[in-house]
Amino acid sequence: MAEALVSFLVEQLGSFTFQHVEQHVKLVVNVEEEVATLTLNLKTIEAVLADAERRQVKENSVRRWLSNLKEVSYKIDDVVDEWSTEILKQQIENQGDNAIVPKKKVCFSIRFRCLCTGQVAQIISRHDIAGRVKELNGRLALIHEQRKQYKFRQNEIEFEQPERIKSVSGVDESETFGRDDERNKLVSQLVSEHSEERKKPLVISIVGMGGIGKTTLAKLAYNDVDVKNCFHTTIWVCVSEPFVQIAVAKAILESLDVSYVPNSNELETFFRHIESEIKGKKFLLVLDDVWDSNHTKWDPFLTTLQCGASGSRILITTRIAQVASAMGTTSDHTIDIKELGEKTCRSLFYHIAFFDGERKESKKFEDIGNEIVKKCKGLPLAAKTLGSLMRCKKTLQQWVDVLNSKIWELQEFEQEVFQPLLLSYYDLKPLSKRCLLYCATFPKDHVIVKDKLIELWMSQDYLEVKGGNKEKTTVGQWCFENLVTRSFFQDIEEDSKGNIRNCKMHDIVHDFVQYLTKDECFSMVVKGANERMELPGDEVRHLSLMFAPKDPFPVSSLNCKSLRTLTAFESKLTSIGVELISQSKSLRTLNLSENSIREVPKEIGGLIHLRYLDLSENDKLKELPDSLCDLYNLQTLRLVGCWELVKFPDEEAMRKLTKLKHLYVEGSCRLKSKGIGRLTGLQKLDVFHLNGYRGEDKEGTLKLQDLKNLKQLEGSLSIAHLESVEDASEGVKACLSEKHLLYHLVLDFICEKACGKWLRAEGTGQNDNDREILNGLQPHGDLESLSIWNCQLATSPCPDWILSLHNLTCLALGYYRNCELLSGPFGRLPSLEWLSFWEMKKVKKVGVEFLGIEESELQSPSSSSSSSSSSSLILFPKLKSLQFNVMREWEEWEGVGGDFQNNITIMPSLSRLQFWTCSKLGTLPDFLRKTPLQTMIIGLGCPILRDRVRDKTSEEWAKISHVPDIQVEECKLWRFQAASC
């Protein structure tokens, strides 16, 4: 919806940018009166936008007025941005390496009189800037005058300063309300055996209107234990619109978790691979959100899938009854999902509205709440959305206002769940509105990565906050969490610490944001390379291309001059094209990841507004032109998985990227660029590739000392190819101890390759060079997570500084091919919660040295004067999860023998223990008896341990018999509850 964008843009221009631009424009072109009038008109218009944005839903004339305002505002923003860019460019060219980097959108450190004569005037003519400002001011003045005829109410709009609200992201409340009968029926049909043999899998359909809970019901059945155990493999694919056969076939293959997915335009190629993967296997395939009822498109799928074993099932969800018939579903295998009863809907609503426990369901709230629930019409999504909205309303009058809202009278929204969504949308402040609406650029069921989304918001300048000094990433985090608590996102995935990583948007919510942005966001399905395409209007700002084929790039017939976002999904474009650049000068975001781009033209530098460029997974891209560094406003550059990328821009040119904050190059292991060390403003760098690619020229590659000046790095950092470091003393030059914003560090002694990894040759013993390198790479003491891979140490696999990491919660060590002894102070790490070992190939025994016990502490308690201190010793005090993976020579795990185990507490917080491919391991330590272990997993490749644990008369069983959940993985998961055995 245009008003959300315009409201924030007006605030941004009126409150900050023009305070600066006014000074510089009048100094250079003497148009101070024009700028003053422009600023005044913007501020006056801003005061009525809240009323205008509500009225435009029903009043077309108001919508047109807002559209005109938006058009002018975007042009103003472009002018301001171009001017700011030229100032920044001149500053960098004048000061060279000593340039002062602006911290805000426009912040000048050089004296303005220097800009009034000479170089700036050479870049932008006085006539040009004056003419553009004057023309825009004339258009804005007309809009300002027109506003009077609408008699808008004035509202003081303030930018949202979101507070952290307790999240319910991990819980889908609708799973537990009112669907027990449908769930039981569905599970029964999925697992039941039929006497007759079927050539094709049985097709079961869930049919119901949008927002009724079809997908939720399918997920409940899909994750049911009985269903999981009934099938060899389960597959989930979201179909949605448009239905493209190759895309669905590819999604099925990817869901089968195959090692290779063909890059083909032939449907039969995918069918052959699917058939080979499922032949003879009993499978469950869920096709979620199917719209196309053309049975001729589905018949090839059903024919291919009949190669599965008897008892296979296909489960579809759809809003259209004809789809179920077209797929071959009979009436007795169709589940028509109905609205929730009022009592159940009320329970769901109140469960969410009062989840925080701060307010009782008093009679005064309950009476109004019951009336609000009736507006949900039995739709779970509506109840959940309204519940989330009312959770933020603290007074009775606020509840009454929602009940009496005129939104309920809008006929246009009656047939869908849009009314409660619109209420929740209007309850947001402009910042959150803009961020939410940008999600219309994603396809349905798209996995939204939180960090990427925040960077996309930043690229559109959505996260500027009035009068605030908060970092944009912090504002983005708050905004994201706010939208989560309002139930605009679902399918939340969290990391081990409970931080949200990914999410999705419910298809109805997606329909809703697409409706609100129908003039600005457009998704285009490209059916052929020579197809003539047209945008629906000049107002389109964000374009998503779907299934674009190879060249020519499909812009020849498009009017792209107003585009601010261009993204290609499921496409195979081989070039960016000069024509695209010449037409799309206003682009802020360009995402051409997962295409087949081979070359970036030098004209890319002409996209002066560009903030976000993603060329990831273009594995034929070999170099980037120096002109890329003319993108003075570039904030995010993603080059993940560009296996052939070798040449970065010239080192001297790289210094111009003063605004680049995020650089992602994981998998681009051949990349050579000393210039990365010049990017002193970098905040995020996923992988620092040293000169490690075998057989290639080392000239121009990075050294550890190039990390020295990257002092603003935060979050995670991986340093790869440490095996290539010849001078072990170089580790100190990286100055990791000065990078206090890093919380996760990965140190890797390998050289990566596109098809896997170059693993280091096995040695015969300790590699002192590796030890010295590790010791030199000491991070700051507040590091939270550390991983070390492919080190050559034979004993003591930890660096000497490990005990200085008093906040270390996660530690992973792997591929130590010479390590024979797991000795180290592991048990002495006070905050360690998660410990993992991978492929310690020569380890045969794990003993007390693993616990971090010193010899003096193992003296007899009766003869030792230190017995009192021994009795209070606690090892691994906070450890919750312990994993041993691929340790094929490991035979014995020994604990603390004799009386000593009574004087030492070991792993008092352990809840999860996992083994995988430990083929010779047969013993467990006695101290496991006293741990509060809740889950023990014996994965594939542990035959001896598996058999001994199954034998309930064995010593090993006695040590873990108290564990409530023991899982043994074979071809299927073998699980039992210890208490019932």
Side-chain angles (χ1 to χ4, degrees):
M1 194 176 288
E3 60 272 20
L5 301 176
V6 173
S7 175
F8 188 78
L9 180 61
V10 169
E11 179 64 45
Q12 183 187 36
L13 298 178
S15 67
F16 174 69
T17 306
F18 265 87
Q19 293 176 11
H20 293 282
V21 173
E22 179 180 354
Q23 299 174 34
H24 306 301
V25 170
K26 75 180 181 182
L27 282 170
V28 176
V29 295
N30 197 29
V31 290
E32 59 267 27
E33 291 183 6
E34 295 285 352
V35 172
T37 303
L38 187 69
T39 305
L40 179 62
N41 287 343
L42 282 169
K43 291 183 177 180
T44 305
I45 290 171
E46 181 213 1
V48 300
L49 280 177
D51 188 37
E53 80 174 28
R54 285 170 172 78
R55 287 175 53 182
Q56 64 90 38
V57 176
K58 296 183 70 173
E59 300 178 41
N60 290 332
S61 59
V62 175
R63 178 177 294 197
R64 287 193 296 271
W65 180 82
L66 279 169
S67 178
N68 292 334
L69 172 62
K70 175 194 64 179
E71 178 71 20
V72 173
S73 297
Y74 275 133
K75 290 184 179 298
I76 292 172
D77 187 39
D78 280 348
V79 171
V80 172
D81 201 51
E82 289 171 23
W83 178 243
S84 302
T85 302
E86 292 297 339
I87 296 293
L88 176 61
K89 178 180 178 181
Q90 190 66 39
Q91 180 185 18
I92 292 173
E93 290 180 353
N94 284 347
Q95 298 188 2
D97 290 347
N98 297 318
I100 300 174
V101 180
K103 295 183 178 179
K104 295 184 179 180
K105 185 171 183 178
V106 183
C107 181
F108 307 97
S109 62
I110 56 179
R111 298 184 63 84
F112 300 133
R113 63 172 176 267
C114 298
L115 303 177
C116 300
T117 59
Q119 293 168 318
V120 173
Q122 296 171 11
I123 300 171
I124 301 179
S125 72
R126 296 170 183 245
H127 175 76
D128 179 59
I129 189 69
R132 293 171 71 184
V133 172
K134 187 172 183 178
E135 187 269 334
L136 290 171
N137 201 17
R139 293 178 60 183
L140 187 65
L142 179 61
I143 294 170
H144 178 267
E145 185 65 24
Q146 289 174 340
R147 95 191 191 288
K148 297 177 182 178
Q149 71 187 61
Y150 299 108
K151 298 180 180 179
F152 293 126
R153 291 186 297 108
Q154 289 199 10
N155 285 317
E156 185 67 26
I157 300 177
E158 294 192 7
F159 285 98
E160 184 174 20
Q161 299 290 343
E163 298 179 357
R164 286 189 177 272
I165 304 173
K166 181 180 176 183
S167 173
V168 291
S169 60
V171 180
D172 187 352
E173 294 83 3
S174 58
E175 291 183 358
T176 58
F177 289 87
R179 296 301 182 205
D180 290 343
D181 291 343
E182 292 94 336
R183 175 181 178 175
N184 293 335
K185 179 180 178 181
L186 178 56
V187 170
S188 176
Q189 292 189 0
L190 289 173
V191 303
S192 63
E193 298 292 340
H194 291 261
S195 57
E196 72 276 11
E197 291 291 329
R198 304 178 60 92
K199 289 186 177 181
K200 294 184 178 181
L202 177 66
V203 182
I204 303 170
S205 294
I206 304 174
V207 181
M209 67 180 294
I212 200 70
K214 302 181 296 296
T215 300
T216 296
L217 177 59
K219 287 179 180 177
L220 288 172
Y222 185 82
N223 293 318
D224 186 272
V225 174
D226 291 337
V227 172
K228 287 286 188 184
N229 290 336
C230 185
F231 298 96
H232 291 106
T233 186
T234 54
I235 310 159
W236 184 288
V237 174
C238 180
V239 180
S240 295
E241 292 185 292
F243 170 47
V244 178
Q245 288 176 304
I246 286 183
V248 173
K250 179 182 178 184
I252 291 174
L253 200 56
E254 289 174 340
S255 188
L256 285 166
D257 198 24
V258 297
S259 58
Y260 170 72
V261 177
N263 183 17
S264 173
N265 292 321
E266 298 295 329
L267 185 60
E268 286 301 322
T269 301
F270 289 99
F271 282 156
R272 286 197 298 271
H273 280 81
I274 292 172
E275 184 174 352
S276 67
E277 290 293 329
I278 67 171
K279 188 172 184 179
K281 296 180 180 178
K282 186 178 178 182
F283 66 85
L284 167 62
L285 169 62
V286 179
L287 298 172
D288 185 37
D289 195 26
V290 181
W291 288 77
D292 200 306
S293 59
N294 186 343
H295 70 88
T296 60
K297 293 183 179 180
W298 288 110
D299 284 346
F301 286 88
L302 299 177
T303 301
T304 299
L305 294 169
Q306 71 183 15
C307 68
S310 177
S312 295
R313 300 285 188 268
I314 299 175
L315 173 62
I316 71 169
T317 71
T318 181
R319 302 184 201 180
I320 307 168
Q322 291 89 335
V323 170
S325 301
M327 297 287 284
T329 306
T330 59
S331 58
D332 55 337
H333 289 107
T334 299
I335 299 176
D336 290 306
I337 187 168
K338 304 299 183 182
E339 295 86 348
L340 296 175
E342 186 173 328
K343 181 178 179 181
T344 304
C345 195
R346 194 160 53 236
S347 298
L348 174 57
F349 170 83
Y350 283 125
H351 178 75
I352 301 173
F354 297 122
F355 91 101
D356 54 14
E358 296 176 359
R359 185 173 61 223
K360 300 285 185 180
E361 289 183 43
S362 63
K363 183 67 176 176
K364 63 178 182 179
F365 283 111
E366 190 172 338
D367 288 344
I368 302 299
N370 291 346
E371 293 301 312
I372 292 175
V373 169
K374 292 178 182 178
K375 303 288 188 180
C376 299
K377 301 178 182 178
L379 298 178
L381 180 60
K384 185 176 181 180
T385 301
L386 279 175
S388 299
L389 172 65
M390 303 318 295
R391 190 170 63 221
C392 304
K393 306 296 183 183
K394 304 298 183 183
T395 68
L396 178 62
Q397 185 57 49
Q398 289 175 323
W399 282 53
V400 172
D401 290 343
V402 171
L403 178 62
N404 295 333
S405 172
K406 293 184 179 180
I407 288 175
W408 303 117
E409 302 172 8
L410 296 176
Q411 299 296 316
E412 190 173 0
F413 291 86
E414 281 191 356
Q415 301 304 315
E416 292 287 354
V417 201
F418 283 7
Q419 289 170 320
L421 289 172
L422 196 62
L423 273 169
S424 291
Y425 171 78
Y426 280 149
D427 198 57
L428 298 172
K429 297 296 175 65
L431 183 147
S432 292
K433 287 178 181 176
R434 299 190 73 197
C435 291
L436 173 66
L437 295 182
Y438 192 79
C439 296
T441 62
F442 301 122
K444 278 190 177 180
D445 204 52
H446 182 76
V447 176
I448 300 172
V449 180
K450 182 190 70 174
D451 290 344
K452 282 187 180 181
L453 180 60
I454 292 174
E455 288 169 8
L456 288 169
W457 289 341
M458 290 174 61
S459 72
Q460 300 294 320
D461 283 337
Y462 290 173
L463 302 181
E464 300 281 358
V465 178
K466 174 185 176 182
N469 295 318
K470 291 186 174 67
E471 284 286 337
K472 293 181 182 181
T473 50
T474 302
V475 176
Q477 292 273 2
W478 286 346
C479 184
F480 181 86
E481 291 177 5
N482 189 32
L483 294 176
V484 168
T485 61
R486 302 297 185 102
S487 299
F488 285 112
F489 295 132
Q490 65 171 24
D491 291 352
I492 303 298
E493 292 185 11
E494 299 177 338
D495 60 20
S496 59
K497 294 187 177 181
N499 299 313
I500 299 175
R501 297 170 56 187
N502 306 327
C503 66
K504 290 184 180 180
M505 184 173 276
H506 191 285
D507 56 354
I508 294 296
V509 179
H510 191 271
D511 290 343
F512 172 72
V513 296
Q514 282 194 324
Y515 173 83
L516 294 182
T517 59
K518 58 186 177 183
D519 295 328
E520 293 216 12
C521 297
F522 186 68
S523 180
M524 176 181 291
V525 178
V526 186
K527 296 180 180 179
N530 298 317
E531 178 189 17
R532 179 174 178 82
M533 301 178 299
E534 293 183 2
L535 297 181
D538 293 339
E539 296 180 2
V540 175
R541 292 299 192 285
H542 310 287
L543 175 62
S544 299
L545 296 177
M546 304 289 296
F547 311 108
K550 296 182 179 180
D551 287 342
F553 195 96
V555 296
S556 57
S557 58
L558 295 177
N559 179 8
C560 300
K561 65 180 181 179
S562 298
L563 284 185
R564 294 194 161 213
T565 300
L566 177 61
T567 306
F569 294 102
E570 298 287 340
S571 299
K572 298 182 179 180
L573 299 169
T574 57
S575 67
I576 296 179
V578 177
E579 187 179 11
L580 166 69
I581 297 172
S582 65
Q583 290 193 37
S584 309
K585 294 295 187 180
S586 293
L587 273 180
R588 264 70 173 171
T589 302
L590 179 58
N591 183 354
L592 298 178
S593 61
E594 300 184 58
N595 276 268
S596 301
I597 303 295
R598 295 175 178 269
E599 182 182 5
V600 177
K602 65 179 184 299
E603 288 81 4
I604 189 76
L607 299 177
I608 63 171
H609 300 289
L610 198 67
R611 270 99 165 139
Y612 184 104
L613 177 60
D614 192 347
L615 297 172
S616 298
E617 308 299 337
N618 285 285
D619 55 9
K620 301 300 181 184
L621 181 63
K622 294 186 177 180
E623 64 179 56
L624 298 174
D626 290 347
S627 60
L628 183 79
C629 297
D630 292 335
L631 302 176
Y632 288 88
N633 291 303
L634 193 65
Q635 299 169 354
T636 299
L637 178 59
R638 290 184 171 271
L639 300 167
V640 175
C642 296
W643 308 111
E644 297 297 321
L645 183 61
V646 177
K647 184 181 180 298
F648 230 38
D650 177 74
E651 179 181 358
E652 182 63 22
M654 291 279 283
R655 69 180 178 84
K656 296 190 288 185
L657 297 178
T658 59
K659 290 192 176 183
L660 189 65
K661 302 297 183 184
H662 317 119
L663 176 61
Y664 302 95
V665 293
E666 181 182 4
S668 302
C669 50
R670 303 178 67 178
L671 188 61
K672 297 179 181 180
S673 177
K674 298 286 288 184
I676 290 179
R678 306 289 293 272
L679 301 174
T680 56
L682 271 186
Q683 295 176 350
K684 292 185 179 179
L685 175 63
D686 56 347
V687 181
F688 188 81
H689 292 285
L690 296 171
N691 52 335
Y693 205 79
R694 291 188 174 185
E696 292 194 352
D697 184 11
K698 307 296 184 184
E699 183 178 356
T701 54
L702 287 165
K703 307 292 184 183
L704 282 173
Q705 63 186 22
D706 293 319
L707 270 173
K708 178 180 179 179
N709 294 324
L710 305 185
K711 296 180 180 180
Q712 297 185 43
L713 290 181
E714 61 185 40
S716 302
L717 173 66
S718 176
I719 304 178
H721 321 311
L722 283 167
E723 86 292 343
S724 66
V725 177
E726 297 176 356
D727 182 359
S729 64
E730 279 193 26
V732 179
K733 299 177 182 178
C735 299
L736 293 185
S737 60
E738 299 177 4
K739 297 169 178 44
H740 296 283
L741 298 177
L742 287 178
Y743 67 85
H744 176 56
L745 179 63
V746 178
L747 303 176
D748 203 340
F749 286 80
I750 65 166
C751 191
E752 298 178 11
K753 196 171 183 290
C755 60
K757 293 183 177 180
W758 289 110
L759 296 177
R760 304 177 69 184
E762 295 182 27
T764 57
Q766 178 93 346
N767 189 316
D768 293 330
N769 194 60
D770 286 9
R771 171 75 66 190
E772 190 173 347
I773 292 172
L774 278 181
N775 289 339
L777 291 170
Q778 180 172 356
H780 62 90
D782 290 327
L783 194 76
E784 297 178 5
S785 177
L786 174 66
S787 300
I788 304 175
W789 306 112
N790 291 283
C791 195
Q792 291 279 38
L793 302 181
T795 59
S796 301
C798 291
D800 295 348
W801 39 258
I802 190 71
L803 282 178
S804 70
L805 305 181
H806 47 272
N807 286 335
L808 190 71
T809 58
C810 299
L811 176 62
L813 305 174
Y815 305 100
Y816 280 59
R817 296 178 178 272
N818 292 326
C819 185
E820 300 176 354
L821 188 65
L822 284 186
S823 61
F826 302 108
R828 305 286 185 158
L829 294 169
S831 301
L832 192 63
E833 296 181 3
W834 188 88
L835 178 60
S836 176
F837 296 96
W838 286 82
E839 199 160 331
M840 299 293 191
K841 189 171 183 180
K842 295 186 178 181
V843 172
K844 296 184 177 181
K845 179 181 178 180
V846 175
V848 294
E849 66 282 345
F850 167 71
L851 302 174
I853 300 177
E854 299 176 4
E855 284 190 20
S856 60
E857 294 169 313
L858 289 178
Q859 297 175 8
S860 171
S862 60
S863 62
S864 174
S865 60
S866 62
S867 60
S868 60
S869 62
S870 297
S871 62
S872 62
L873 184 61
I874 302 177
L875 301 173
F876 294 102
K878 294 186 178 180
L879 189 67
K880 297 177 181 178
S881 176
L882 177 60
Q883 299 181 20
F884 296 96
N885 304 294
V886 197
M887 297 177 63
R888 292 184 174 89
E889 299 300 317
W890 184 24
E891 300 176 357
E892 181 181 0
W893 185 5
E894 183 184 68
V896 180
D899 297 331
F900 303 105
Q901 58 185 320
N902 298 323
N903 304 311
I904 300 175
T905 302
I906 302 174
M907 302 183 188
S909 302
L910 188 67
S911 61
R912 181 184 178 89
L913 177 61
Q914 176 178 312
F915 304 92
W916 181 57
T917 315
C918 301
S919 53
K920 296 183 179 181
L921 179 63
T923 65
L924 298 172
D926 283 337
F927 66 74
L928 288 180
R929 299 174 188 264
K930 298 182 179 181
T931 63
L933 195 58
Q934 296 297 306
T935 300
M936 180 174 175
I937 299 175
I938 303 175
L940 296 174
C942 303
I944 300 175
L945 186 60
R946 175 199 64 199
D947 292 342
R948 292 185 181 179
V949 167
R950 280 181 168 177
D951 181 3
K952 289 185 284 294
T953 64
S954 69
E955 290 186 25
E956 309 317 312
W957 163 252
K959 297 171 186 175
I960 49 90
S961 61
H962 65 291
V963 180
D965 183 20
I966 300 177
Q967 304 174 21
V968 178
E969 296 182 8
E970 295 175 297
C971 293
K972 285 188 178 182
L973 186 69
W974 176 77
R975 179 181 297 184
F976 64 93
Q977 299 293 326
S980 64
C981 296

